[in-house]
Amino acid sequence: MVITKGRRAGGRALQYTALLGYLAFLAFPLVWLVSTAFKTSREMARLDPTWIPLEPTLDNFVQALGEQDIIGAAQRSLVVALASAVLVVAMALPASYALARHRSRLNAAALGWVLVSQVFPFILLIIPLFMILRQLGLVNSLAGLVIVHATFCLPFVLWMLQGYVRGVPRELEEAAGVDGAGRWRTLWSVVAPLLAPGVVAALMFGFVSSWNEFLFALILLKDPQIQTLPLALVRFTGPEGVVRLGPLAAASLMATVPSLVFFSFIQRRLKGGMVAGAVKG
Amino acid sequence: MRRITALPALALTGVLALSACGSGEGEGGPVQLRFLSLAWQTQSIEANERLVQEWNDTHPDIQVEYVQGSWDNVNDQLLTGFEAGDPPDIIHNESSALAGYAARGYLADLGDMLPQELKDDIRAEAWETATFDGQVVGVPFLQESQVFIANREVLEDSGVRIPTSEEPWTWDEFAEVSEELTTEDRYAVAWPLGSPVNRVLNLSLNFGGTFFEVAEDGTASMRVGEQEREVLQRIHEQLYEDETAAPETVGMSGSDPLPAFYAGEYAMIQGGVYTRQQVVEQAPEDFEWVTIPPLVGDTAEQGAVSQTLSVAADSAHPEEAAEFLSFFLSAENQVDLALGDWLLPTSREAAQAPELNTEENDWDVATASADNLVMAPYLKVQGFDEWKNRVAQPALEEYFGGAITIDELAQRLETEGDDVLGRYR
């Protein structure tokens, strides 16, 4: 079957159209957030919504910044999310390697238990957890929140990473051993580059989980000076689902910047990690 | 790879640094009180923060820390604090949440700690909303009544009588007016009934409908008789027989129908008095509106819950906390708080303030409606929250959605309701 240039170009155009449609779909929430953040209350309440604000205003930003410490809260959330993500990966990585490489019935049971631990509703655990953290002097501290976030994220990250470890052929490690590399050298030079995409994915998961987490932060952080972003954002909501949409959109928009920076940084590492494992040097 | 390996070090450094971020409580020095506030609107937050600052400036020996909570999550936050013995000293909540906390002994009895002046100033009906087994577990300070906001131009063009606080509409007149106001491209009224339970229960008092029979020992049982059915049926008739109410608004929350209201698709929208604020802020500048005072059935009485300030029983400084409450909820300050939330003060003196009786934004109509507010009977019912969420909310949704009849609704409320309430006996 001969594929003509015209048909090839048509197919390409179709691909680009689909891609553009998909991008538009993905971008919609962000575009709508930006649009809403600059609208007046009257414009937001129109029956025929506008894409581009008719009378753009900064009032929502002024209100958001004036009423809540959005910038400070975003900084604290960034630090907590970064620390939680790194801590959980640091804990999960050796455990996942052990689970994946030293397989036994006990390991299967352990992995099952890890997943079961995810089904408990947080609200059941929060009171005993609170009391333990209070004994440790970690209530009302960001360190306590980091530990809690990392702990609750750990089972899923462990599950994720042991899958990545299993994806690294055991033969590569054996070949490195034959070439004279020691255990640590094998792990560092052979396994680690191949695991990099998984580690980055786990970091992303840990970061997002912690960045969005609300309930533990609400319970643990009492001092207004150390509260995180979800706590600041929820204050634009009232009883029975009533929302001050303008300031909430403005605050949310400002709050997305740190996470966008983080993801743009870590996304490059994700690509780098994929390539790094392709050739054994 | 170097950058990636730097991350763990960065994180560990961060964790170590963060451990220094906890707030410690110093020994000696002024008394420290934590005030969990649920204020969320700009003016209300400003008023709260200003009053706390004013208190702190004039009471160097009793310092109050303002902590903002949120309505959606306050009870999770409080329950954890109570159970763990570390609640805020001063707690902002609504009276419907107090019965359970009072029964568990989480809240201090303020009966002997408040000045007589404050006790006398707040309406007795409001005190009832925060008094359980003779214990005053909160100071009620803001309430809301159920009104309608109407498109004034539509009402005037239709020639219907615009009601006043002195001459409100009866439910019958309201039904007749609704027929007048309904056209091919306009419904007379939008009933946003996404969360219908409290609204229906509060309005049912117009016809003496209480839904609960509470015995002297505090045990409750359900009753859905003719009086309880009255408001339910009237709303249902508007939706499905008269077709004067918009069926699409049944599942909406309070503010959802507002854009269509501004666009003229509904002549009236039902809501709490605070709805006026959203209309003022959002409606087109040439939009003219009017507040329709509470409807009258056998009476104009409506059930009311209150926003309250309580003191935790575990507070180390309950007397000082009560002292702060007395300051914070003085008549003068209640005016600011009411203006901030667009709600009604419980203070008689505050209700006389010129700002709350001006015709501007119909404050006079709103404030006058407070005279009809009585304690909502469900406030005294142990297990009301569970009854509301597990029984009443789904059953009312089905009823207003046209899926079940009033008899089926009544049966479900009674049988399933008694099952739930029986567990609290």
Side-chain angles (χ1 to χ4, degrees):
Chain A
M1 189 175 183
V2 180
I3 300 173
T4 64
K5 276 188 179 177
R7 285 182 66 186
R8 200 177 290 140
R12 184 61 59 87
L14 204 62
Q15 283 179 338
Y16 279 120
T17 306
L19 186 61
L20 278 175
Y22 185 58
L23 284 176
F25 175 75
L26 290 180
F28 175 79
L30 190 59
V31 172
W32 194 248
L33 184 70
V34 173
S35 172
T36 305
F38 289 97
K39 284 180 181 173
T40 62
S41 297
R42 291 185 204 289
E43 195 171 347
M44 273 182 257
R46 284 167 60 112
L47 202 54
D48 52 335
T50 50
W51 278 100
I52 299 171
L54 301 173
E55 297 171 25
T57 176
L58 293 174
D59 284 355
N60 295 323
F61 291 88
V62 172
Q63 279 187 41
L65 290 170
E67 289 173 26
Q68 305 295 339
D69 178 21
I70 298 295
I71 304 294
Q75 287 173 342
R76 287 187 287 275
S77 270
L78 184 66
V79 172
V80 168
L82 274 173
S84 302
V86 174
L87 187 61
V88 72
V89 169
M91 288 191 292
L93 197 54
S96 62
Y97 185 83
L99 279 170
R101 283 290 185 256
H102 305 286
R103 298 173 71 177
S104 68
R105 284 184 184 172
L106 191 62
N107 280 7
L111 275 174
W113 177 243
V114 161
L115 284 189
V116 167
S117 70
Q118 292 283 286
V119 304
F120 292 112
F122 285 0
I123 198 73
L124 280 181
L125 307 172
I126 193 81
I127 292 172
L129 181 73
F130 183 89
M131 296 175 93
I132 292 167
L133 288 171
R134 197 171 57 163
Q135 290 292 322
L136 296 171
L138 288 171
V139 166
N140 211 14
S141 98
L142 295 183
L145 188 64
V146 167
I147 290 169
V148 170
H149 284 177
T151 305
F152 277 84
C153 206
L154 183 62
F156 190 79
V157 170
L158 188 60
W159 184 263
M160 269 175 80
L161 283 177
Q162 66 91 27
Y164 279 101
V165 173
R166 283 184 186 177
V168 177
R170 193 188 288 264
E171 291 76 13
L172 281 179
E173 292 179 55
E174 291 166 356
V178 170
D179 288 347
R183 188 78 177 154
W184 287 108
R185 177 68 193 270
T186 303
L187 287 174
W188 186 249
S189 301
V190 178
V191 180
L194 293 169
L195 274 183
V199 169
V200 172
L203 279 171
M204 284 177 159
F205 176 79
F207 181 89
V208 171
S209 300
S210 176
W211 179 262
N212 290 328
E213 201 284 322
F214 174 78
L215 185 61
F216 288 127
L218 177 76
I219 304 295
L220 293 176
L221 303 181
K222 297 169 184 299
D223 183 348
Q225 309 304 320
I226 62 167
Q227 292 188 337
T228 52
L229 191 62
L231 301 184
L233 293 182
V234 82
R235 290 174 193 142
F236 297 109
T237 64
E240 295 188 0
V242 184
V243 176
R244 290 173 57 211
L245 201 54
L248 178 62
S252 302
L253 184 59
M254 289 185 279
T256 55
V257 174
S259 55
L260 283 178
V261 170
F262 172 74
F263 278 110
S264 64
F265 168 79
I266 206 165
Q267 195 183 29
R268 288 205 300 272
R269 304 279 80 74
L270 181 62
K271 289 177 198 160
M274 286 168 148
V275 175
V279 179
K280 187 162 84 80
Chain B
M1 285 303 293
R2 269 201 300 268
R3 285 183 190 172
I4 286 184
T5 53
L7 278 174
L10 177 70
L12 289 175
T13 306
V15 171
L16 290 173
L18 292 173
S19 63
C21 291
S23 73
E25 281 191 24
E27 291 188 8
V31 167
Q32 297 283 351
L33 299 173
R34 212 164 61 228
F35 168 29
L36 180 69
S37 167
L38 302 179
W40 68 286
Q41 307 199 66
T42 306
Q43 284 175 286
S44 182
I45 292 171
E46 283 172 5
N48 273 263
E49 290 184 337
R50 181 175 54 73
L51 292 176
V52 169
Q53 188 60 50
E54 197 178 315
W55 168 271
N56 285 341
D57 290 346
T58 53
H59 296 77
D61 52 337
I62 307 173
Q63 293 292 289
V64 174
E65 182 181 37
Y66 180 84
V67 182
Q68 269 204 283
S70 81
W71 282 102
D72 280 348
N73 314 92
V74 65
N75 290 315
D76 288 339
Q77 190 176 16
L78 285 178
L79 194 61
T80 311
F82 286 136
E83 288 287 336
D86 188 28
D89 298 277
I90 300 154
I91 298 160
H92 183 186
N93 209 328
E94 64 175 14
S95 50
S96 60
L98 298 187
Y101 294 143
R104 294 182 192 183
Y106 290 150
L107 302 175
D109 180 4
L110 300 170
D112 296 328
M113 290 193 256
L114 300 170
Q116 195 60 39
E117 188 186 354
L118 181 69
K119 290 181 181 176
D120 293 341
D121 186 34
I122 290 178
R123 293 187 303 114
E125 295 84 357
W127 278 120
E128 277 190 71
T129 66
T131 305
F132 299 90
D133 292 332
Q135 296 197 334
V136 178
V137 295
V139 183
F141 67 105
L142 289 176
Q143 295 186 317
E144 75 172 57
S145 55
Q146 299 295 318
V147 296
F148 292 85
I149 308 295
N151 183 323
R152 180 184 279 277
E153 198 178 330
V154 169
L155 262 58
E156 287 176 347
D157 289 350
S158 304
V160 302
R161 180 180 77 85
I162 296 181
T164 62
S165 298
E166 292 74 29
E167 289 186 73
W169 282 339
T170 63
W171 277 87
D172 289 337
E173 192 175 0
F174 171 64
E176 288 165 17
V177 165
S178 295
E179 299 268 13
E180 291 286 323
L181 297 177
T182 302
T183 65
E184 276 188 9
D185 53 2
R186 183 183 65 220
Y187 282 103
V189 59
W191 284 95
L193 293 167
S195 304
V197 183
N198 288 26
R199 189 165 305 186
V200 165
L201 266 52
N202 289 334
L203 287 174
S204 290
L205 278 181
N206 282 180
F207 294 95
T210 58
F211 286 86
F212 297 97
E213 287 181 335
V214 185
E216 281 187 11
D217 64 357
T219 59
S221 58
M222 289 298 308
R223 177 188 64 191
V224 187
E226 290 305 313
Q227 293 168 310
E228 284 74 23
R229 293 180 183 217
E230 196 72 41
V231 163
L232 288 164
Q233 283 176 313
R234 286 173 182 262
I235 297 172
H236 199 271
E237 278 169 13
Q238 284 205 314
L239 287 164
Y240 298 107
E241 293 177 29
D242 303 344
E243 296 184 349
T244 54
E248 69 270 15
T249 64
V250 163
M252 293 183 177
S253 70
S255 54
D256 292 343
L258 283 170
F261 171 60
Y262 305 141
E265 293 187 10
Y266 317 127
M268 297 181 283
I269 180 169
Q270 197 277 326
V273 283
Y274 64 84
T275 308
R276 294 170 300 133
Q277 182 193 21
Q278 287 166 293
V279 176
V280 168
E281 289 183 354
Q282 299 173 353
E285 286 178 7
D286 58 349
F287 186 83
E288 292 188 33
W289 56 279
V290 58
T291 304
I292 305 294
L295 302 181
V296 181
D298 296 336
T299 70
E301 281 189 352
Q302 291 187 357
V305 298
S306 309
Q307 288 190 32
T308 55
L309 289 188
S310 302
V311 174
D314 277 348
S315 170
H317 308 286
E319 296 280 352
E320 289 85 350
E323 202 179 323
F324 172 76
L325 293 197
S326 305
F327 158 81
F328 194 82
L329 300 180
S330 69
E332 185 185 354
N333 293 339
Q334 279 204 35
V335 174
D336 289 347
L337 295 168
L339 288 169
D341 267 335
W342 292 65
L343 290 170
L344 313 172
T346 56
S347 155
R348 290 190 182 88
E349 190 183 334
Q352 305 296 320
E355 304 95 301
L356 297 179
N357 288 279
T358 171
E359 288 181 8
E360 189 178 356
N361 297 328
D362 287 347
W363 268 108
D364 53 346
V365 179
T367 301
S369 70
D371 294 340
N372 301 314
L373 297 177
V374 297
M375 185 201 73
Y378 55 81
L379 293 181
K380 302 292 182 191
V381 174
Q382 290 281 337
F384 170 72
D385 271 347
E386 186 180 347
W387 173 84
K388 176 182 172 180
N389 295 322
R390 292 187 55 184
V391 179
Q393 176 73 25
L396 287 179
E397 278 177 14
E398 287 187 44
Y399 175 65
F400 288 126
I404 58 174
T405 66
I406 185 78
D407 289 334
E408 290 169 316
L409 172 68
Q411 189 186 10
R412 278 181 59 178
L413 291 180
E414 286 184 344
T415 55
E416 294 178 24
D418 280 339
D419 283 348
V420 168
L421 297 178
R423 288 205 292 277
Y424 291 82
R425 286 173 193 156

